[in-house]
Amino acid sequence: HSPGVQPADLEEVVQKGVRTLVIGRGMSEALQVPSSTVDYVRKNGIDVLVLQTEKAVEEYNALAAQGVKVGGVFHSTC
């Protein structure tokens, strides 16, 4: 869970041209998402949301239903 989600972990998603990226930190939010990772995503012109996984899935589904080009990375445990 540490060092958590790194910029290199998100390269493929960033390359897909998403406009928003939703990151789920796990059920108990144990997965770390460093500010350097958030900065990397934002510097690529992508909005980023870092949420508890259940909330992240809800947000992802809502954005997708609105037609937003959204990507998601979800930690399903912890």
Side-chain angles (χ1 to χ4, degrees), residues 4-39:
V5 181
Q6 299 298 300
D9 300 329
L10 302 176
E11 283 183 25
E12 185 176 343
V13 176
V14 168
Q15 299 294 324
K16 297 289 183 184
V18 300
R19 302 304 312 147
T20 302
L21 176 63
V22 181
I23 301 174
R25 295 187 53 213
M27 301 306 281
S28 301
E29 300 183 83
L31 182 66
Q32 301 299 305
V33 181
S35 60
S36 59
T37 299
V38 172
D39 290 344

Side-chain angles (χ1 to χ4, degrees), residues 2-75:
S2 182
V5 181
Q6 299 298 300
D9 300 329
L10 302 176
E11 283 183 25
E12 185 176 343
V13 176
V14 168
Q15 299 294 324
K16 297 289 183 184
V18 300
R19 302 304 312 147
T20 302
L21 176 63
V22 181
I23 301 174
R25 295 187 53 213
M27 301 306 281
S28 301
E29 300 183 83
L31 182 66
Q32 301 299 305
V33 181
S35 60
S36 59
T37 299
V38 172
D39 290 344
Y40 165 75
V41 175
R42 288 185 177 148
K43 284 179 183 173
N44 280 279
I46 300 168
D47 294 328
V48 62
L49 301 168
V50 179
L51 303 165
Q52 186 268 355
T53 292
E54 286 177 307
K55 292 176 183 168
V57 170
E58 289 174 12
E59 187 67 25
Y60 175 92
N61 287 334
L63 290 166
Q66 295 170 22
V68 174
K69 191 165 184 184
V70 62
V73 177
F74 306 100
H75 185 58

